Amino acid sequence: MAERKWNRDKENDLPVYLARPGTADQVPRQLHGGFFSNVEGAYDSKTLDFDALSVGQRGSRTPRTPKTAQTSPEAKPTTAGGSQITIKPTDIGQDQKELGVEIKTTTGKEILQNLDSDKSDRLLIKGGRIVNDDQSFYADIYMEDGLIKQIGDNLIVPGGVKTIEANGKMVIPGGIDIHTHFQMPYRGTTTVDDFAQGSKAALAGGTTMIVDHVIPEPGCSLLEAFDRWREWADEKACCDYSLHVDITHWNDSVKQEVETLLKEKGVNSFQVYMAYKDFYQMSNSELYEIFTFLGEMGGVVQVHAENGEIIAEEQARMLEMGITGPEGHVLSRPEELEAEAVFRAITIASQTNCPLYITRVMSKSAADIISQARKKGNVVFGEPITASLGTDGTHYWSKNWAKAASFVTSPPLSPDPTTPDYLNTLLSSGDLNVTGSAHCTFSVAQKAIGKDDFTQIPEGVNGVEERMSLIWDKAVVTGKMDENMFVAVTSTNAAKILNLYPRKGRIAVGSDSDLVIWDSDAVRTVTAKTHHSAAEYNIFEGLELRGAPMVVICQGKIVLEDGNLHATTGTGRFLPCSPYPDFAYKRVKARKQLAVIRAVPRGMYDGPVAEFTPMSRGATPASSARTSPTKQTPVRNLHHSGFSLAAGQQQQGESRIHRPPADENPIRPGGRRIVVPPGGRSNITSLS
Amino acid sequence: MSGYQGKKNIPRITSERLLMKGARVVNDDQSFLADIYMEDGVIKQIGENLIVPGGVKIIEAHGRMLIPGGIDVHTRFQMPDRGMTAADDFYQGTRAALAGGTTMIMDHVVPEPGASLVAAFSQWREWADSKSCCDYSLHVDVTEWHKGLQEEMEALAKDHGVNSFLIYLAYKDIFQLSDAQMYEVFSVIRDLGAIAQVHAENGDIIAEEQKRILELGITGPEGHVLSRPEEVEAEAVNRAITVANQTNCPLYITKVMSKSAADVIAQARKKGTVVYGEPISASLGTDGTHYWSKNWAKAAAFVTSPPLSPDPTTPDYLSSLLSCGDLQVTGSAHCTFNTAQRAVGKDNFTLIPEGTNGAEERMSLIWDKCVVTGKMDENQFVAVTSTNAAKIFNLYPRKGRIAVGSDADLVLWDPDITKIISAKNHNLAVEYNIFEGVEVRGGPLVVISQGKLVLEEGMLHTTEGCGRYVTRKPFPDNVYKRIKARSRLAELRGVPRGLYDGPVCEVTVTPKVMTPVTSKKTSPVKQTPQPVRNLHQSGFSLSGAQVDDNIPRRTTQRIVAPPGGRANITSLG
């Protein structure tokens, strides 16, 4: 509403220093009415005019926005020969026209100055309301070379600048879709949206950066897979991108590759799977090792959280019962299994002091576990996706196989229809932090691979294009969150986790000029007929969404205006993410310093020791063949061990052992007096 | 207090006939004043002015509480561990139990992995029959899982009266079962009508933590609790509950030691899961701060798994949950090792044999912590120490209730006795008592087991080998009524759809992301006679009768796609 106020009464506006609250006329005070009547004019001059008083914002009375080009020579120093594009249709009426966005290009001076013809490199957004995750304010933005150079009022800009009149519309940082699967290979085919198609859809929806998942085949090199994905994306992506790498198997060479990726290749997040038994699934011990390793190296662990073992059992049961359609998918993956795996992942992460990121939060119970863990202080982030925020799993029972199959994703959409609303609430309250789309689309023909067996249906749903509008519609329009929170969940938080903040996710001087002028009133109906994805089905078909991008600026270029997309394939750059993102690691580092464990210094036990056969009991920690990453820590530290070695030895002058001097405990000449059981010797030899 | 009525010259049968006069009978539902007449180890009459034969021993209760003898649902007497044996054997252990007012114990049979369950069961029967002084029953631990064990479990349930099986989620590479194995075991247990007991701790994480702690140079008993944080317990409880929900199997969590684990159980119960939690004497009576004791032998005496929580508010919290019904039964997990045995792990805490005492102290501890503090009343006390256990394990009303026809296992309880627990005067074979110095109020005055006076005026009169094995039938009502109703509801149906006739993408050999059949062991559900695929429900209309119509579809063949990937389509004919 603020922009409307601001547009009102421009003719009689006074400059801000002349504007006084209330009427300026002399009002003679008159007593009238009875004892209890109001004094006339008692409330005059007492209503605050926030627009007039607010500092740093554009006052409603400041006549700085020109109504026409002729009346404001200072805003457009060179008006000669300027071309004008009006995005809003002109037939709506004079008042309505003011609310649209105008893009004007001036050519006069640059012709004189012989500047290069690449006009879109210089952009000025005038009169936009800049919305960051912390505050909103009115200012002009000047961009050059894909960077934001100036923010403020009355900017001094060179000539040859394309000017966008935002007319008080919101300017938000471009969305970051933190989870996509474009061009994902799947059993010889690939998803129908490649990096070009997918990133175009992203831009059309107001998302200016995507983060894709590299999925190496189990047993293959992570680096090779990463390079392959880089190649595909560099060739085709229309917007900036970054990559997560999925760890699909674990051994020492993978560990080295992960280290290389972290240190040299600009990957700071790695996903592991707790589902997909015998394929991608990691055991608890492997999870522990990966978490420990990444916790030390400054990476963020992402987890696909579902209990794969139980799913495998349930799938077998469903198929035996003769349920082969897509409903079997959701029946074999009840949301409890998701919640269980989330719980387990959180436990392991808390044990290893590693920041955790749960991809695809699809159900209420999983989200509840995350918010509980956050209340207990765990460093865990939850990512609901477009699908879970916008639709539910009742469609799995659709009579139309192709439609039902198009909803198949893992974890599945919850059949509980209150789920989207619940997840939106948690997203608004900050219990869930970031949103992705998990965009991974397959054509009906590809989905039909599983027409006789739901376990064969390739998994994935669309959502990259709808994400921003959907969250606006479900969370902001309903009053669950404000525009700043909207920016936080669609962009800023993701940038912080990826350690790209403030380059991305914020409108500030020096940030990338990835901006979206957001129209909070536009209403669109989602349909497969008009969407930019190549898939035949859209899971949000028929959904009416309020709020849409009006202009999208990516890398300082206008890529969406007037409903037209001008994306160029191959312009997307890979953005390396550095390890130790502050957003996750500040707390983790502080905890590491606290979590020093000390042994109890005790006198040596010198009583009798029972005999035992050293085989089978509970705790043999060395059984895992793989070495724990913590094994780097050197030899047993005798200072900490609490065992004081025989005092007598020193007295006898046997200086073989450097006994910790600080040990004040009653010391017995014990080294040799330990009753050594047959077979038990290995425990003691390390002491001598 | 006790005297003889009528002729005193028939001492042989006096112990068989007992009359308890003027007792306040406390059951889990109500208390009332009555006389009780017992004969042949069974309660024959309850009421006032009973007509009893001569030669009866009379006990004047003077209005004191008479409660059903306690049932200790979890003991490990005489348990073998790496060639050692727990210090308290069945004789010593049951004596201690009787001294504390417990008249029945349920011990765990722990077969070595690879050994036969039935053989191990018989071994334990032999030990207990020769030594036990009170009635006993046996849980059987499933320490590994393969197809053959299903038949053994069936045999145990049907022929040997075992209706509870314990699995371990801890002790990696020894007893631990994977999630898939847990799922299969739970399915078998549900079909048998038994109770799934779980030792809930995440063994994988523990193994990693143990490694880490040892590398840090921590080798003392404090390493035990540091490597087994309570989160790891809560995680495993949560996982077991999830799997139990999935398989619709009743679940029983043994040894609830921490607040977080108890919370998970309480939450699951609020959601409707059939799950029971068993705190033990140790977790109700003491905490894990002692692991940091400078005295190694004392610290080691507390080593048990899951460990006692270092949070000193835990006992109070657990007794509150026990009082409000979120936890239901109490055991002792009595498994004692003397200091020399513990010292096996003097240089490495992972080798310390695990277990604490508690069979003798259990009843008094709960009375002191719960009833004296006003958290529960005497009826609830009976419920958590005896009745609930009898109900869950299908012994009710033979045990766990004072009623005509029930076993004459009774305790005359004195709420005013105070006693300081000490290793000096306990009835155990070990040097340390983890409750050393704790003063408890409330204790047994008279204990009657099998209709015989075994504790009287502080004197124990036990008879080695008189304990009977009590068989337990499957499908206990208290547990399975709900399970049965749910299994009727949980029928799943496919959606009838027209045949998909659009294009189908070709796929390469790579198996799909999830292949449910790769587990070598076949799922137990497969063994149950599967009806033929119901074509009306499946939604696939086949053109006419097929040769294989009467053969149940075998998923194994349909999921792994052969080269070329045609197998999906050819099966449609």
Side-chain angles (χ1 to χ4, degrees), chain B residues 13-64:
Chain B
I13 56 162
T14 43
S15 60
E16 296 291 317
R17 297 176 172 183
L18 265 175
L19 180 65
M20 179 81 69
K21 283 190 77 118
R24 192 147 62 92
V25 176
V26 181
N27 274 325
D28 69 323
D29 51 350
Q30 60 171 350
S31 313
F32 54 91
L33 280 169
D35 299 346
I36 294 172
Y37 173 67
M38 295 158 260
E39 200 180 312
D40 301 329
V42 174
I43 297 172
K44 293 285 185 189
Q45 298 177 53
I46 296 179
E48 287 169 38
N49 305 319
L50 302 177
I51 297 157
V52 297
V56 166
K57 188 171 185 182
I58 297 176
I59 304 169
E60 286 289 347
H62 299 297
R64 287 207 182 82

Side-chain angles (χ1 to χ4, degrees), chain B residues 5 10 36 88 125 142 164 179 218 242 286 339 358 436 493 519 554:
Chain B
Q5 181 188 28
I10 28 174
I36 294 172
D88 287 316
R125 276 294 310 268
V142 179
S164 50
D179 292 357
I218 297 175
T242 308
T286 184
T339 305
E436 188 75 34
R493 283 208 187 78
S519 162
R554 295 221 308 276

Side-chain angles (χ1 to χ4, degrees), chain A residues 51-349:
Chain A
D51 284 341
L53 293 173
S54 51
V55 179
Q57 296 189 4
R58 189 174 277 202
S60 65
R61 285 151 209 277
T62 324
R64 292 205 318 40
T65 305
K67 200 168 183 183
T68 57
Q70 284 76 23
T71 55
S72 65
E74 90 278 3
K76 289 176 60 185
T78 54
T79 48
S83 70
Q84 180 163 335
I85 308 155
T86 309
I87 283 183
K88 280 269 175 169
T90 47
D91 56 349
I92 306 173
Q94 191 65 22
D95 288 351
Q96 292 293 315
K97 190 188 168 188
E98 298 293 328
L99 297 173
V101 170
E102 298 166 36
I103 300 175
K104 301 161 191 169
T105 313
T106 55
T107 50
K109 224 175 213 173
E110 77 200 24
I111 288 167
L112 294 173
Q113 294 177 349
N114 273 335
L115 292 174
D116 52 19
S117 55
D118 194 5
K119 286 165 248 169
S120 60
D121 260 5
R122 296 174 173 184
L123 262 177
L124 179 67
I125 299 179
K126 282 188 70 76
R129 191 150 60 92
I130 296 175
V131 180
N132 274 326
D133 69 322
D134 51 350
Q135 59 169 351
S136 311
F137 56 95
Y138 288 97
D140 299 345
I141 306 169
Y142 172 67
M143 292 161 264
E144 203 180 310
D145 301 329
L147 293 179
I148 296 173
K149 294 285 185 188
Q150 300 178 50
I151 293 177
D153 291 341
N154 303 319
L155 302 177
I156 296 161
V157 298
V161 169
K162 197 181 232 181
T163 306
I164 301 172
E165 283 292 341
N167 286 334
K169 291 255 183 264
M170 276 188 284
V171 182
I172 59 174
I176 299 175
D177 190 335
I178 198 165
H179 188 164
T180 64
H181 292 278
F182 296 150
Q183 213 168 332
M184 187 183 82
Y186 174 74
R187 295 166 82 187
T189 70
T190 47
T191 53
V192 289
D193 288 322
D194 60 7
F195 275 97
Q197 196 76 37
S199 56
K200 271 180 197 162
L203 288 169
T207 297
T208 54
M209 176 177 178
I210 57 130
V211 190
D212 209 79
H213 277 270
V214 175
I215 308 181
E217 286 290 307
C220 294
S221 155
L222 267 59
L223 285 168
E224 278 169 27
F226 174 78
D227 290 338
R228 198 159 350 112
W229 253 261
R230 277 292 311 268
E231 207 175 286
W232 291 338
D234 281 338
E235 185 190 327
K236 289 188 169 174
C238 311
C239 64
D240 288 349
Y241 71 95
S242 197
L243 293 172
H244 307 292
V245 176
D246 295 4
I247 300 175
T248 48
H249 60 294
W250 183 247
N251 52 40
D252 279 341
S253 75
V254 172
K255 196 159 110 183
Q256 279 163 9
E257 290 193 310
V258 168
E259 193 171 340
T260 313
L261 286 167
L262 261 165
K263 288 186 173 157
E264 294 162 24
K265 300 287 186 176
V267 176
N268 75 355
S269 43
F270 297 85
Q271 173 163 307
V272 291
Y273 293 86
M274 297 169 82
Y276 307 119
K277 185 176 175 183
D278 299 323
F279 205 67
Y280 293 156
Q281 187 177 327
M282 294 284 166
S283 73
N284 291 339
S285 315
E286 288 168 329
L287 290 176
Y288 186 97
E289 287 179 16
I290 294 170
F291 283 26
T292 312
F293 180 65
L294 287 174
E296 278 165 12
M297 304 298 296
V300 175
V301 175
Q302 301 189 313
V303 166
H304 176 115
E306 278 183 297
N307 189 321
E309 299 209 2
I310 311 298
I311 289 172
E313 300 278 346
E314 288 284 322
Q315 283 177 335
R317 190 167 73 94
M318 291 301 149
L319 290 171
E320 267 160 27
M321 290 171 73
I323 296 175
T324 57
E327 68 276 11
H329 180 72
V330 64
L331 290 174
S332 64
R333 291 167 174 262
E335 64 177 75
E336 275 186 316
L337 302 189
E338 188 191 346
E340 187 279 314
V342 170
F343 196 104
R344 187 149 40 101
I346 288 173
T347 307
I348 299 176

Side-chain angles (χ1 to χ4, degrees), chain A residues 660-674:
Chain A
D663 211 324
E664 259 29 314
N665 279 287
I667 293 157
R668 297 164 190 279
R672 276 168 238 155
R673 285 188 49 213
I674 302 171

Side-chain angles (χ1 to χ4, degrees), chain B residues 129-173:
Chain B
D129 279 339
S130 61
K131 291 191 165 175
S132 177
C133 310
C134 66
D135 286 353
Y136 71 97
S137 193
L138 293 171
H139 309 290
V140 176
D141 297 2
V142 179
T143 47
E144 61 173 343
W145 180 245
H146 54 77
K147 191 60 204 57
L149 287 182
Q150 192 183 341
E151 284 148 32
E152 290 210 84
M153 285 167 72
E154 253 178 70
L156 285 170
K158 288 182 179 146
D159 309 331
H160 297 284
V162 174
N163 73 1
S164 50
F165 297 90
L166 175 80
I167 65 158
Y168 293 88
L169 298 180
Y171 306 117
K172 187 174 175 184
D173 299 326

Side-chain angles (χ1 to χ4, degrees), chain B residues 113-131:
Chain B
S116 150
L117 298 184
V118 177
F121 173 82
S122 311
Q123 176 69 60
W124 255 259
R125 276 294 310 268
E126 206 175 286
W127 288 337
D129 279 339
S130 61
K131 291 191 165 175

